[in-house]
Structure formats: structure tokens, C-alpha cells
Amino acid sequence: MTCTAGTECRTVNNKAVCADPNAPVESSTSTETKVACDINNSTMCDASDKSAFYMCTDKFWTKMQCDGTNVCMARGGKTACVDQATADAPVLPCTVANATQCAPDNQKIFQICIDDYWTNSTCADDNYCLLRGDSAVCVDKATANAPVLPCTTAKATRCIDGAPQKYQLCYDGYWSNSTCIDNNYCLFRGESALCVDKATAEAPVQPCTKANATRCVDEDELVYQLCYDGFWSNSTCDTGNVCRMPDTGKNAVCMDKDEAYLSITMSTLHEPTPFRGTISMGVSVRDALSWGPSVVLGALAIAFGVGI
């Protein structure tokens, strides 16, 4: 058999029952007289012990204990084990199921409309409640305390003056702060804000005309530039590679540093390939080594015009 949704299997009075998951421990100290009940799995709080409640099991009320420091709370005909702050909150009715709002007296608490009553919850870590549009969200303190500025284009982004590692997103009609990850910086290009490395963010603003064109940077052979949204944006070649321009008018190439000083034969960005050495006649080293000594010496004589 399978327990119904919202319940799980527990052992009570040496029998397996489907019980509320918020009440995993049966009180072992109860010596009260058994009192009959009508509806199995129904619950009610214990008026004499705020951390306990009763569950109807096999037609009798059985005393159960809330986990840890939680206490029993009855709202809208239902019983639940909740933290003390939630239990102490004023009982305020609500009408829209799952609606959210920030608590008026505590910036770290938000409320959810459950069973026609506002139920308190706490934002995790160092986050704070912020109401945007019709919903409450948990955000970092800087975002929560930022000025409330309206915006009109959903999902639009922009950088923030004076805060190079932060950007703003237009959410529910208001600008909401966010922070670039991995120590990146905000860069505004075209009509959007991007999070890029510090060198790219601080590079001079240079316009370009051909989308996706690439070029090397004279000052740093490890860096190449990509034409993105009408501006040159810096990028870096993989470790061990350097940027080279094979021919005028073609794209830049990231290639093995040792190979770069010999020849350039590729016209697009590519992964490094092993360098294959050759002798003066254009014969591969592998083929030359397969010849006999006399053949090799003869070939050298022809190449350099010397006698053997």
C-alpha cells in the first residue's frame, strides 16, 4: 500500500500508519488515557504542550512531538509544526492562494498565502525580502536597499554607475540589482549589459562594422578582438596559443606559439595542432628516416651542391 499525498509511513503503537511528515516522533512519555477519534490522520494541537500535537491513529488520539524547537500551529482547520516566529505571527487572512508579500515589521521575513492565512517564511543566509510587482523575492541586502526605479522593457539590462561588478535587470516593471559571477565586470554593448573579464570591460571603446569579424591586438599577442554589436570586444586565446593574422582581410587565428613563428596556414580560429618538422626538400622527417643512409646523403648533396 502507498500513503496518500502529504503523508508518509510511521510506526505508532507498534503499527505502521500514514502520518504527517511534520510529526515524525511519537511521544514516549505520554501516559494519558486513550481518547477516541473519528477520522484517521486528523490532527490537533496539544493545549498543554505547544511542541506537541495529537494524531488520530486507529480511532484513538496519539500524542506526537514536533521536530527540534518547532511548535504546533493550527490554521484554517489544519495543524502543522512550524518555527516559533511563524507561530507567533499575527493571524492575518488572505484571499489569493500562494500569493507572497514582505512582512511589514521584519525585512528578512516574507509571507505566503496558505489556506487563506499569511504564513511567515525566512529568507536564507544574508538575503532580504523585496517586493517587486505583485511578488516578494529574497535578494542580497544591496539590492533590497537600492532605490526603487521603474522600467518599461521586460528583461532589459544595464550597468550601474559606481558599481562595476553589478548590473540591473528590468523585472516586473522595476530595475533589480544583480552581481556578475567569477569576479567579472559589467560592460554595456549595443542594447544589453554583459558580464566580462576586467580587461575586456576596461578596454577602449572601438566601433566596428562587420559582425563576427576578428583581429589581433598589437599590444598583446594573447588577445584577439571580436566584432560584437558594433564594437570590438576582447577575448583571450587558449593557454599556449597566440593570435596571428594569416592574410589581410581575413579573420584572426589562435595557434600554437611555436608554430606561429614558422608559418600561418589556417584562416579561422582553431585548436592547436602538433608541429610536423620537414627537411629542406619538403620531405617529411618520418619519410626521410625511412630511407637508407646513402639516399639521404645523396639528397643533401643535390640540395646543397656538394660532393660526397
Side-chain angles (χ1 to χ4, degrees):
M1 298 179 63
T2 303
C3 290
T4 59
T7 63
E8 59 185 12
C9 186
R10 289 286 185 268
T11 301
V12 179
N13 293 335
N14 297 319
K15 293 183 180 180
V17 297
C18 292
D20 187 331
N22 290 320
V25 182
E26 180 182 1
S27 175
S28 59
T29 60
S30 176
T31 58
E32 299 176 1
T33 303
K34 292 290 185 178
V35 178
C37 55
D38 297 323
I39 303 174
N40 276 339
N41 296 323
S42 60
T43 55
M44 66 178 181
C45 291
D46 183 350
S48 62
D49 184 356
K50 66 179 183 179
S51 64
F53 64 96
Y54 290 97
M55 174 179 288
C56 185
T57 306
D58 292 336
K59 301 299 182 179
F60 288 96
W61 288 112
T62 301
K63 190 172 183 178
M64 309 291 286
Q65 202 74 25
C66 291
D67 285 339
T69 59
N70 286 352
V71 296
C72 184
M73 180 187 74
R75 293 284 167 83
K78 295 184 179 182
T79 302
C81 288
V82 298
D83 59 71
Q84 187 68 57
T86 300
D88 292 342
V91 180
L92 300 173
C94 56
T95 57
V96 181
N98 298 320
T100 55
Q101 66 177 22
C102 296
D105 56 350
N106 191 325
Q107 199 176 6
K108 288 187 66 66
I109 292 178
F110 66 96
Q111 298 175 320
I112 307 174
C113 184
I114 300 176
D115 293 329
D116 300 325
Y117 291 93
W118 289 112
T119 301
N120 283 9
S121 292
T122 304
C123 290
D125 302 325
D126 294 327
N127 288 347
Y128 292 79
C129 186
L130 176 68
L131 187 66
R132 281 291 180 261
D134 296 325
S135 302
V137 292
C138 289
V139 297
D140 60 67
K141 187 174 182 179
T143 301
N145 293 334
V148 179
L149 301 173
C151 57
T152 56
T153 305
K155 298 183 179 180
T157 54
R158 68 181 186 182
C159 298
I160 303 174
D161 291 339
Q165 293 184 290
K166 293 184 179 295
Y167 66 95
Q168 292 183 319
L169 171 70
C170 184
Y171 178 78
D172 278 345
Y174 294 91
W175 288 110
S176 296
N177 287 10
S178 293
T179 303
C180 291
I181 62 173
D182 298 331
N183 204 33
N184 284 344
Y185 287 70
C186 185
L187 174 67
F188 193 78
R189 283 291 181 266
E191 298 179 352
S192 301
L194 308 170
C195 285
V196 298
D197 60 70
K198 186 177 181 181
T200 301
E202 295 178 348
V205 179
Q206 298 175 316
C208 57
T209 56
K210 185 179 179 181
N212 298 321
T214 56
R215 69 179 186 182
C216 297
V217 176
D218 293 337
E219 296 80 8
D220 191 342
E221 65 178 4
L222 301 179
V223 176
Y224 68 94
Q225 293 181 320
L226 172 71
C227 184
Y228 179 80
D229 275 348
F231 295 91
W232 289 109
S233 296
N234 285 11
S235 293
T236 304
C237 291
D238 292 338
T239 303
N241 289 355
V242 294
C243 184
R244 290 292 183 268
M245 294 295 296
D247 293 301
T248 303
K250 292 187 176 181
N251 282 337
V253 175
C254 279
M255 63 191 313
D256 184 271
K257 187 173 183 178
D258 294 332
E259 183 182 355
Y261 294 114
L262 297 174
S263 63
I264 298 177
T265 59
M266 305 188 72
S267 58
T268 57
L269 298 177
H270 67 286
E271 294 293 328
T273 55
F275 173 69
R276 186 181 185 188
T278 60
I279 61 177
S280 61
M281 294 181 65
V283 180
S284 70
V285 173
R286 183 183 62 187
D287 292 339
L289 292 176
S290 68
W291 298 346
S294 61
V295 176
V296 173
L297 293 174
L300 292 173
I302 295 173
F304 296 100
V306 298
I308 302 299

